[in-house]
Amino acid sequence: MQMTEVSNYKKQNIIGDRIDLLIKQLGAENCAEQKMANHGLVRFGRPAVKYLCEALTHDRAVVRSGAAKALGAIADSSAAQPLLEILNDSDNLVRKEVAFALGELKASIAVSALCDSLEDQNLEVRKESVWALYKIGDRRAVTRLLSCLQETDKYLKLRAITVLGAFQSVESVPFLIELLSDEEEVQKEVIRSLGKIGCPDALPALTGLANENNKELADVLNEAVSMIDRST
């Protein structure tokens, strides 16, 4: 083995040892130490990906979730399949961080599995899955996202409304119109999404909401109607 090869081998071993140490630190009891470890792993970037993917099968959930979070921040596409394989992890936080990471990777191979995660028992996992599908930007998710409009959690519902608007989902228009009778925050997001979709079928429902006593709502309505007019 030549001198240069020996030097590179030693360097790789040193880097590997440092990464292993940081991965162990992900399991620290102290949250500050966990954050420092995560930051250090992200700074290593691609050289850390192989080690982090191996850590996804660690016996401690805190290490698995920390590894998934770091992989999301590094956003190397080679991590997509290992992440996908633990999207059904037994731990809520792990599933949440995996959904986040798959979104950051824009992993189209995860669309079907993330759609299934919209029915996860844990609210935070469902919310993160909606956002991941938005980041991936695959309209195959639209049909499954419609079910989120029936959620009782306002913030999950708001995310789904935003994503359907960003996808310009014409098929979601009747379902969005039904939500115009919801509370004002939801109303406004529905109106914005209907404007982005640009379907004239929404105009009668929107004009019926006109309220001179609520200037903020009126401004959102006027902008949405203008957007629809411009798109037809």
Side-chain angles (χ1 to χ4, degrees):
M1 188 179 289
Q2 296 181 353
M3 188 65 68
T4 304
E5 291 175 333
V6 171
S7 177
N8 288 339
Y9 179 76
K10 287 182 177 179
K11 184 178 179 181
Q12 288 173 4
N13 279 346
I14 291 170
I15 291 173
D17 289 343
R18 289 178 179 173
I19 292 171
D20 279 335
L21 187 62
L22 288 169
I23 287 174
K24 288 179 182 177
Q25 194 177 331
L26 288 174
E29 297 298 326
N30 188 299
C31 289
E33 287 186 46
Q34 293 174 12
K35 288 181 180 179
M36 286 176 60
N38 183 276
H39 181 68
L41 288 162
V42 173
R43 287 188 64 185
F44 266 110
R46 292 189 68 183
V49 170
K50 178 183 74 172
Y51 300 88
L52 287 166
C53 286
E54 291 172 357
L56 294 174
T57 59
H58 197 278
D59 59 352
R60 294 188 61 203
V62 66
V63 175
R64 299 197 301 276
S65 64
K69 185 174 184 177
L71 286 168
I74 296 170
D76 187 283
S77 60
S78 65
Q81 185 60 41
L83 284 164
L84 181 57
E85 290 173 3
I86 66 159
L87 185 56
N88 290 323
D89 193 273
S90 60
D91 185 82
N92 292 340
L93 182 58
V94 174
R95 297 198 304 280
K96 176 180 178 290
E97 293 295 353
V98 169
F100 163 80
L102 289 168
E104 293 300 299
L105 269 62
K106 296 179 172 58
S108 58
I109 63 169
V111 169
S112 178
L114 285 167
C115 283
D116 289 340
S117 290
L118 296 177
E119 298 178 10
D120 194 279
Q121 62 181 0
N122 183 268
L123 174 61
E124 296 305 316
V125 175
R126 299 201 300 277
K127 286 163 66 174
E128 202 61 63
S129 297
V130 171
W131 222 233
L133 289 165
Y134 166 65
K135 291 172 184 175
I136 295 169
D138 192 318
R139 293 189 79 263
R140 287 179 296 168
V142 166
T143 301
R144 299 293 292 276
L145 284 166
L146 289 174
S147 65
C148 296
L149 300 181
Q150 306 302 318
E151 284 276 357
T152 55
D153 182 79
K154 178 175 70 173
Y155 298 103
L156 175 52
K157 189 187 298 185
L158 285 168
R159 285 193 179 192
I161 293 166
T162 301
V163 176
L164 290 166
F167 284 177
Q168 295 185 309
S169 166
V170 174
E171 55 265 58
S172 71
V173 169
F175 302 95
L176 291 171
I177 288 174
E178 288 181 7
L179 294 178
L180 287 173
S181 59
D182 211 313
E183 62 180 281
E184 188 172 320
E185 187 176 1
V186 174
Q187 275 186 331
K188 289 176 183 175
E189 197 57 41
V190 168
I191 293 166
R192 293 187 188 99
S193 286
L194 288 171
K196 291 174 185 175
I197 294 168
C199 178
D201 291 348
L203 285 174
L206 290 175
T207 53
L209 274 180
N211 185 348
E212 296 179 359
N213 297 321
N214 189 331
K215 185 180 183 304
E216 189 176 350
L217 182 63
D219 288 343
V220 175
L221 269 170
N222 289 336
E223 177 60 24
V225 170
S226 296
M227 291 174 73
I228 293 171
D229 286 342
R230 289 195 296 269
S231 67
T232 54

